[in-house]
Amino acid sequence: MVAQGYAAWLDAQLAKPASLSYVSYWDARNAALGGTTANPKAGQREVLDAFWTQAVAGEDQVRARVAYALSQIFVVSMLDSGVGNNARGMASYADMLGAKGLGRYRDLLESVALHPVMGTYLTSLHNMKENTRTGRVPDENFAREVMQLFSIGLVQLNADGSVKTSGGSPVPTYTPSDISGLAKVFTGWSYACPVSDDSCFFNGISRDSERDIDAMIKPMRAYPQFHSSSVKSFLGATVPDQGSNADPAASLKVALDTLAGHPNVGPFLARQMIQRMVTSNPSPAYVGRVASAFAAGNGDLKALVRAVLLDTEARSATGLTDASFGKLREPVLRLSAFLRAFGATSDSGGWLVGNTDGNTDSLSQTPFRAPSVFNFYRPGYVPPGGQLGLAGLVAPEMQITHESSVVGYVNYMATALQSGLGMSGYDNKASRRDVQPDFLRDTTHALRTLAATDADVPALVDQVATRLLPAPMPAALKDIIVPAVLSIAVPVANGKNQDQIESAKLNRVRTAVMLTLASPEYTVQK
Amino acid sequence: MHHDQASRRAFLRQLGAFTGLGAAAPLALNLAAMSSASAQAATDYKAVVCLFMFGGNDAYNMFLPTDSTSFANYTAVRDQAPDSIALLAPGTAPVPTAPVASPARLGGVLPIVPATARTAPGGGTQTFGLHPSLGALQTLFNSQKRLAVLANVGPLKQPTTKAQYATTGYPLPASLFSHNDQQNTWQAFAPEGATKGWGGRMADLLLSQNTRASFTAVSVAGNAVWLSGDTVRQYQMSTSGAVRMGADSGGRLFGSTTVASALERVVRNARSNHRFETDMADIHARSIDAEVALRTTLKAASDPLFGTAPVSGSYNPNNDPKLQYDNPLTGGKSSNSLAQQFQMVARMIEASSSSALGMKRQVFFVSIGGFDSHDGQNRNQADNMAKIAQALKYFDDTLGGLNLRSNVTTFTASDFGRTFTSNGDGTDHGWGSHHLIMGGAVKGGDVYGQVPVLAARNANSNNFDGSPDQISNGVMLPSTSVDQYGATLGRWMGLSDTELLSIFPNLANFSQRNLGFMA
């Protein structure tokens, strides 16, 4: 990579196809369990296993990383039983983010809006048109959140992401009336069936009891009979009265063109993608450069990602010493970085890391299981009471960081270093946990060799640091870790104590790794 | 930094805070009032518990007027195809064959009889009901009189009429109807990004009564800005209590106490001035120090004061019958994570109010999510209401066992109420909502604030011209502000008028600063 140069490496990465199809992976695991699409045996955990397979072993690291970042903006969550009980649909949604995440924003937005899992999560699926006689109104959930979270945000932005003000106050992007107007667009969309009749609209099964087994992965279908045909006004655009020819697709086109064409989209997305991937508090100029690249490509997400990762603010060495630059690494990414840095392998091939929701014994975060459509944390979260709060800096990942979750991360990683991670095989009866870092499974590993001799311990610590930290370990940290490692005595060989020697060597390696993983030098990414 | 030393510094800082008051504060500092607030109540213990319902609870179906005019309008608006969300009249027997959680299956709303009579729109005394899943709360209201209802409360800058609401430029809270901003506004009077909540600010002013600062504001539900003050910082616990970081019960990591000590040194100290690193180290230090303090003072969950000791094996809160509720969706018992949170609160209260930890004033935060009932409202709400009723009854029973009912007041809050209109099986975002206050010091068995008029929908729009309280889609325009709600609780905690005005930014705009629901 050093030879290629970073930009060339990035372009090669961006050109790689997806290394894994979540749906194919899930279908294979389902079949192995004896399940069918109609009667599945696989569920949520197979979606998570697919995630870790791609995250740790996938060649397309950047695409996967971008898709994961997008999953925190265009949020659906398996915590919602409507989604969690349709895990194959969730797999399909993840594939969609991977497939559309480096294309045009307008296409991604349409795929999100029409995905039945999003329809389930934000209740636009089988949303009915208004009934002016009885007073029933269309469900406004998706219309509201597609504006607030997926496209333009709450307030008007300048090109550099700064908030426009009028008379000292921010200028809202939309009003309740815009929401009501836009809500009408998202009526009359529902499941696909062999015959898309009224029964299918409501239940996903036609009057003749026929289903489409891919109903949770095919885009929602238009049902004109349930679509509002009255005039729809939103954000200055109008869908004219459609009379007796309700046309959901036509309404949708106006809505999505209007949203995608709004000048807020570039800066709104740019700032969040920078936050997901580089730093919590980008300068307005950085946001502006990224938004500009996005616009120059006519809403090009690939250009946006290139701009995020190649910008001087992201790459400059001054970031390493700026007291406000960087971000708290979210727990999932602390784990994935560790697994890659230490050549982790999966005995089963399935990467059985599983659910990591637990507060005090796990990561407090699992991919695709955010607490709500507002994600695990907010882009504008300011942690109260500390240096960040005093400086008015945002730190989204701090929103899930507190006295319990910090314990969970440390204790989870300590257990991982002790015995590996995840279930012990598909049937939980294997002799060891599925995911094993290199030094744990390989008794002749170079790190263990270094651990054998006191004089080599500083080098051991340096090697660990190289794998985990962006710069040489600060002396102050090394001065704690080296003596801690040395405090574990490696007995002199006497012909009968090889087990104790191996155990001591391994504990020395564990200590060096654990203390580095727990350090703010690691958990904070610069 | 030792946070338990902060009490004295906090006292000095609160002195400083008064000299730095903004424009809303009275010119004359009432130093006598401030010092008496610090000195008074040196012997009694008081705690306020915020139960936050995330997503926006449909208050219209939690507490509703059942007089014939109001109820007829309610039914007409909410009985919509395909899935009516209109609850049925008091006395209606449940139909066991009706769809699970449907109004017919649940039966009629549960009558509550407020001590103060109000006149119904059609004449006579107005009658009221609670959601059918709130049986335990009906008893707490009617017989035990430890539950009160506060009607139509929400964020307001100043009293607001419908006409004023419709006037461009009239001062209104920002970002109404947006979940995250209204959650923040309820807790901290500002949208997303706010860093000081009124629970924390109350705690700042009461801090000097505590021997240690660190347990003054406790969350059992993740980070909550409500608990953050100028000095006071929240302490977060899980329902499993404080867990030791990086060491077994013998203090060893990878078999070594030296390694465990080294881990502690690594995590609790920043070795640079990097702001993220510094704040991370801070959280780790607090976590470690708090666990040490609680290790010997917090009683077990299985203690009969709080739970049921298991017949065999280790205690599992999911299996503790005291923490289970009758799940209306399954017909059986399910574990109640909200009750588990209240159990942790009760354990903390017991430990904190004892001489071991010497706390006198605390604020707690618990929460339950899943209230954003855009669809499937009948099922959602039946389940949520059942959880809330069981959890509150459990907490009231437990406080009774600790003889602390009159010392602890629990109040509910939520992002907002919801629309009066239905979208076919659910509701959309609203504004004003009804809330509950429970405790031995509450003047229960009564309804406070102004009950909104439930009008008929206009013939040709979703406006409700027949009600001064309902804006488009029948969303409640609040008649009581969160400032007034909070100030009533703060007064009970021992804060003076001046102190309350310094915490609640809009309070000065309202003439009634004590809503009267506390004895």
Side-chain angles (χ1 to χ4, degrees), chain A residues 351-383:
Chain A
W351 292 93
L352 309 178
V353 174
N355 183 311
T356 45
D357 285 351
N359 218 221
T360 49
D361 59 0
S362 193
L363 300 179
S364 306
Q365 185 186 41
T366 303
F368 310 123
R369 285 180 58 85
S372 80
V373 71
F374 286 80
N375 196 33
F376 302 100
Y377 29 67
R378 301 299 309 138
Y381 179 75
V382 178

Coordinates of all heavy atoms in Angstrom, one line a residue, chain A residues 351-383:
Chain A
W351 N -17.8 -17.1 11.7 CA -17.6 -15.9 12.5 C -18.7 -15.7 13.5 O -19.4 -14.7 13.4 CB -17.4 -14.7 11.5 CG -16.1 -14.9 10.8 CD1 -15.9 -15.4 9.5 CD2 -14.8 -14.5 11.2 NE1 -14.6 -15.4 9.2 CE2 -13.9 -14.9 10.2 CE3 -14.3 -14.0 12.4 CZ2 -12.5 -14.7 10.3 CZ3 -12.9 -13.8 12.5 CH2 -12.0 -14.2 11.5
L352 N -18.7 -16.6 14.4 CA -19.9 -16.6 15.4 C -19.8 -15.6 16.5 O -20.2 -16.0 17.7 CB -20.0 -18.1 15.9 CG -20.0 -19.2 14.8 CD1 -20.1 -20.5 15.4 CD2 -21.2 -18.9 13.8
V353 N -19.4 -14.4 16.2 CA -19.3 -13.4 17.3 C -20.7 -13.2 18.0 O -20.8 -13.2 19.2 CB -18.8 -12.1 16.8 CG1 -18.8 -11.0 17.9 CG2 -17.4 -12.3 16.2
G354 N -21.7 -13.0 17.2 CA -23.1 -12.9 17.7 C -23.4 -11.6 18.4 O -22.7 -10.6 18.1
N355 N -24.5 -11.6 19.1 CA -25.0 -10.5 19.8 C -24.1 -9.9 20.8 O -23.7 -10.6 21.7 CB -26.4 -10.9 20.4 CG -27.1 -9.7 21.0 OD1 -26.6 -8.9 21.8 ND2 -28.4 -9.6 20.7
T356 N -23.8 -8.6 20.7 CA -22.9 -7.9 21.7 C -23.6 -6.7 22.3 O -22.9 -5.7 22.7 CB -21.6 -7.5 20.9 OG1 -21.9 -6.8 19.7 CG2 -20.7 -8.7 20.6
D357 N -24.9 -6.9 22.6 CA -25.7 -5.8 23.2 C -25.3 -5.5 24.6 O -25.4 -4.4 25.1 CB -27.2 -6.1 23.2 CG -27.9 -6.1 21.9 OD1 -27.3 -5.6 20.9 OD2 -29.0 -6.5 21.8
G358 N -24.9 -6.5 25.3 CA -24.8 -6.4 26.8 C -24.0 -5.2 27.3 O -22.9 -4.9 26.8
N359 N -24.5 -4.6 28.3 CA -23.9 -3.4 28.9 C -22.7 -3.7 29.7 O -21.6 -3.0 29.6 CB -25.0 -2.8 29.8 CG -25.0 -1.3 29.8 OD1 -25.2 -0.7 30.8 ND2 -24.9 -0.8 28.6
T360 N -22.8 -4.6 30.7 CA -21.7 -4.8 31.6 C -20.8 -6.0 31.3 O -19.8 -6.2 31.9 CB -22.2 -5.0 33.0 OG1 -23.2 -6.0 33.0 CG2 -22.8 -3.8 33.6
D361 N -21.2 -6.7 30.2 CA -20.4 -7.9 29.9 C -20.1 -8.0 28.4 O -19.6 -9.0 28.0 CB -21.1 -9.2 30.4 CG -22.5 -9.4 29.8 OD1 -22.9 -8.5 29.0 OD2 -23.2 -10.4 30.1
S362 N -20.5 -7.0 27.7 CA -20.2 -7.0 26.3 C -20.1 -5.6 25.7 O -19.8 -4.7 26.5 CB -21.4 -7.8 25.6 OG -21.0 -8.1 24.2
L363 N -20.3 -5.4 24.4 CA -19.9 -4.1 23.8 C -20.9 -3.0 23.9 O -20.6 -1.9 23.4 CB -19.5 -4.4 22.3 CG -18.4 -5.4 22.1 CD1 -18.2 -5.5 20.6 CD2 -17.1 -4.9 22.7
S364 N -22.1 -3.2 24.4 CA -23.2 -2.2 24.4 C -23.6 -1.8 22.9 O -24.1 -0.7 22.7 CB -22.8 -1.0 25.2 OG -22.4 -1.3 26.5
Q365 N -23.2 -2.6 22.0 CA -23.5 -2.3 20.6 C -23.4 -3.5 19.7 O -22.5 -4.3 19.9 CB -22.5 -1.2 20.1 CG -22.7 -0.7 18.7 CD -21.6 0.2 18.2 OE1 -20.4 -0.1 18.3 NE2 -22.0 1.3 17.5
T366 N -24.4 -3.7 18.9 CA -24.4 -4.8 17.9 C -24.8 -4.2 16.6 O -25.7 -3.4 16.5 CB -25.4 -5.9 18.3 OG1 -25.1 -6.3 19.6 CG2 -25.4 -7.1 17.3
P367 N -24.1 -4.5 15.5 CA -24.5 -4.0 14.2 C -26.0 -4.3 13.9 O -26.5 -5.4 14.3 CB -23.6 -4.8 13.2 CG -22.4 -5.2 14.0 CD -22.9 -5.4 15.4
F368 N -26.7 -3.4 13.3 CA -28.1 -3.6 12.9 C -29.0 -3.8 14.1 O -30.1 -4.2 13.9 CB -28.3 -4.8 11.9 CG -27.3 -4.8 10.8 CD1 -26.5 -5.9 10.5 CD2 -27.3 -3.7 9.9 CE1 -25.6 -5.9 9.5 CE2 -26.4 -3.7 8.8 CZ -25.6 -4.8 8.6
R369 N -28.6 -3.4 15.3 CA -29.5 -3.5 16.4 C -29.5 -2.2 17.2 O -29.4 -2.2 18.5 CB -29.1 -4.7 17.3 CG -29.5 -6.0 16.8 CD -29.1 -7.2 17.7 NE -29.6 -7.0 19.0 CZ -30.8 -7.4 19.4 NH1 -31.6 -8.0 18.5 NH2 -31.3 -7.3 20.6
A370 N -29.6 -1.0 16.5 CA -29.6 0.2 17.2 C -30.9 0.3 18.0 O -31.9 -0.2 17.7 CB -29.5 1.4 16.2
P371 N -30.9 1.1 19.1 CA -32.1 1.2 20.0 C -33.3 1.9 19.2 O -34.4 1.6 19.6 CB -31.6 2.1 21.1 CG -30.2 2.2 21.1 CD -29.7 1.8 19.7
S372 N -33.0 2.7 18.2 CA -34.1 3.3 17.5 C -33.6 3.8 16.2 O -32.4 3.8 15.9 CB -34.7 4.5 18.3 OG -33.9 5.7 18.1
V373 N -34.4 4.4 15.4 CA -34.0 5.0 14.1 C -33.1 6.1 14.3 O -32.4 6.5 13.3 CB -35.3 5.4 13.2 CG1 -35.9 6.7 13.8 CG2 -34.9 5.6 11.8
F374 N -32.9 6.6 15.5 CA -32.0 7.7 15.8 C -30.6 7.1 16.1 O -29.7 7.8 16.6 CB -32.5 8.5 17.0 CG -33.6 9.4 16.6 CD1 -34.9 9.0 16.5 CD2 -33.3 10.8 16.3 CE1 -35.9 9.8 16.1 CE2 -34.3 11.6 15.9 CZ -35.6 11.2 15.8
N375 N -30.4 5.8 15.8 CA -29.1 5.2 15.9 C -28.6 5.0 17.3 O -29.4 5.2 18.3 CB -28.0 6.0 15.1 CG -26.8 5.2 14.8 OD1 -26.9 3.9 14.6 ND2 -25.7 5.8 14.7
F376 N -27.4 4.5 17.5 CA -26.9 4.3 18.8 C -26.6 5.6 19.5 O -26.6 5.7 20.7 CB -25.6 3.5 18.8 CG -25.7 2.2 18.1 CD1 -25.3 2.0 16.8 CD2 -26.2 1.1 18.8 CE1 -25.4 0.8 16.1 CE2 -26.3 -0.2 18.1 CZ -25.9 -0.3 16.8
Y377 N -26.3 6.6 18.7 CA -25.9 7.9 19.2 C -26.2 9.0 18.2 O -26.4 8.7 17.0 CB -24.4 8.0 19.5 CG -23.6 7.0 18.7 CD1 -23.4 7.2 17.3 CD2 -23.0 5.9 19.2 CE1 -22.7 6.4 16.5 CE2 -22.2 5.0 18.4 CZ -22.1 5.2 17.1 OH -21.4 4.4 16.3
R378 N -26.3 10.2 18.6 CA -26.7 11.3 17.7 C -25.5 12.1 17.2 O -24.5 12.2 18.0 CB -27.6 12.3 18.5 CG -28.9 11.7 19.1 CD -29.8 11.2 18.0 NE -30.0 12.1 16.9 CZ -29.9 11.8 15.6 NH1 -29.8 10.6 15.2 NH2 -30.1 12.8 14.7
P379 N -25.5 12.6 16.0 CA -24.4 13.4 15.5 C -24.1 14.6 16.3 O -23.0 15.1 16.4 CB -24.9 13.8 14.1 CG -26.0 12.8 13.7 CD -26.6 12.4 15.0
G380 N -25.1 15.1 17.0 CA -25.0 16.4 17.7 C -24.8 16.2 19.2 O -24.9 17.1 20.0
Y381 N -24.5 15.0 19.7 CA -24.4 14.7 21.1 C -23.2 15.3 21.7 O -22.0 15.1 21.3 CB -24.4 13.2 21.4 CG -24.3 12.9 22.8 CD1 -25.4 13.0 23.7 CD2 -23.1 12.4 23.4 CE1 -25.3 12.7 25.0 CE2 -23.0 12.1 24.8 CZ -24.1 12.3 25.6 OH -24.0 12.0 26.9
V382 N -23.4 16.1 22.7 CA -22.3 16.8 23.5 C -22.3 16.1 24.9 O -23.2 16.2 25.6 CB -22.5 18.3 23.7 CG1 -21.4 18.9 24.5 CG2 -22.7 19.0 22.3
P383 N -21.2 15.4 25.2 CA -21.1 14.7 26.5 C -21.1 15.8 27.6 O -20.2 16.6 27.6 CB -19.9 13.9 26.5 CG -19.2 14.2 25.2 CD -20.0 15.3 24.4

